[in-house]
Amino acid sequence: MGELRPHRDSGFSLLEMVVVVAIIATLSVGASLAIGARGGTADAPRLAATYDALRDAALLGQEMRGLRLVPGGWQVLLPAEGDAPGWRVSGAVQSVRAEARFEGTRGPILPAPPDTRPPQPDIVFLSDGEVTPFEVVFVTDDTVTACRSRGLAGLDCTTR
């Protein structure tokens, strides 16, 4: 009977691993571009994720958070630092790909015009879990997605 000898060339080479990683990266970029091309159908989950993150941050940090509507999207607001009253912008504008219509209890919530005044939130997340009531409708060529705030329960979204 023959002796078992270890093979020195077993396993993957560095070149093979690089090729596999490049293929996976190419496929993931293609998939993300395909998902992004769907337009408004991706806007509702992004808004729901922002909603959940702001609600959780307000509850855990015991500090209000805000969401300001701007032309073409929304922006997160935090309370001003120190004893200064007001709000400050946190992060970049989150753009929407579809037409978005926001409604509050007193009618439409219109995007804030770009100006130099201090930012004010259109939707406020309080430290006790309360959230300004609102509804948003995302309209694309083939779908309509409506989301309604439910406070601690998050956003309730339905697609028609």
Side-chain angles (χ1 to χ4, degrees), residues 41-54:
T41 56
D43 291 332
R46 284 184 29 243
L47 179 62
T50 301
Y51 182 100
D52 291 342
L54 289 174

Side-chain angles (χ1 to χ4, degrees), residues 134-159:
F134 74 94
E135 180 176 275
V136 60
V137 177
F138 296 104
V139 180
T140 63
D141 293 338
D142 55 349
T143 61
V144 175
T145 303
C147 298
R148 177 173 288 145
S149 69
R150 299 277 185 209
L152 284 172
L155 280 183
D156 180 27
C157 296
T158 56
T159 301

